[in-house]
Amino acid sequence: MLAERLGVSRKTVDRYLSGVTKKPQKRLQAALAQETEAEWQPQAKAQARQRAASSTGLVISTTAYFGFGTEGSDAGRMRDIQVVLSPSHAAKILAARDTSATDSELHDAVAEAIADANFRVEGGGRAGLKVRVEAVERLDISF
């Protein structure tokens, strides 16, 4: 029950809901903010993750060393890359994270997604291009 979680009586909650009392005491105001965040944050995050995996994808911005296999014509070097990943890549990355994948497994999934989006067919490159991602200095993921 909300009143119990806030440490107040049910009547106090009713007064706020009806608008009779409008400005909560500092202690209650802090408790309300904490409870609102505790209830809202997980739901908002879950909805954003679902959108990323089904329709919007993820945006990855990174500074890392990108090297290429023997098929590559470009020498490896540090690059600043910002790329929008497809929902299918986003779903794989988020699923790996949810199943407690190791950092190495997550790194590989992100590297593969960046390679597909930026260096292979989607990015105008060759389908069989081998891409290595190493020495990651910065990695920002947003949905």
Side-chain angles (χ1 to χ4, degrees):
M1 182 170 173
L2 178 62
E4 290 173 4
R5 290 193 323 242
L6 295 174
V8 297
S9 70
R10 174 147 173 90
K11 287 183 181 183
T12 299
V13 171
D14 288 340
R15 284 194 299 271
Y16 285 110
L17 289 174
S18 69
V20 172
T21 304
K22 296 187 181 190
K23 185 164 170 113
Q25 300 169 356
K26 287 183 182 181
R27 182 190 60 79
L28 179 56
Q29 192 171 14
L32 283 167
Q34 184 177 2
E35 282 299 313
T36 300
E37 186 174 313
E39 292 290 323
W40 176 80
Q41 284 288 339
Q43 293 172 19
K45 285 180 182 179
Q47 290 170 355
R49 290 167 57 87
Q50 179 59 35
R51 276 193 309 276
S54 63
S55 62
T56 61
L58 293 173
V59 176
I60 293 191
S61 180
T62 188
T63 302
Y65 176 89
F66 288 85
F68 303 92
T70 56
E71 302 167 5
S73 61
D74 198 7
R77 65 180 184 268
M78 290 299 288
R79 295 175 185 247
D80 287 317
I81 292 179
Q82 182 171 7
V83 63
V84 177
L85 301 183
S86 68
S88 62
H89 278 300
K92 287 176 190 174
I93 292 167
L94 293 170
R97 184 174 175 265
D98 289 344
T99 58
S100 301
T102 65
D103 285 347
S104 178
E105 291 168 334
L106 285 169
H107 181 265
D108 291 346
V110 170
E112 185 67 18
I114 291 172
D116 278 351
N118 203 61
F119 298 110
R120 294 188 184 132
V121 175
E122 288 181 28
R126 291 175 282 171
L129 182 65
K130 301 230 186 269
V131 179
R132 292 183 333 274
V133 180
E134 301 169 356
V136 177
E137 289 183 3
R138 177 184 59 81
L139 176 65
D140 298 315
I141 300 175
S142 58
F143 348 151

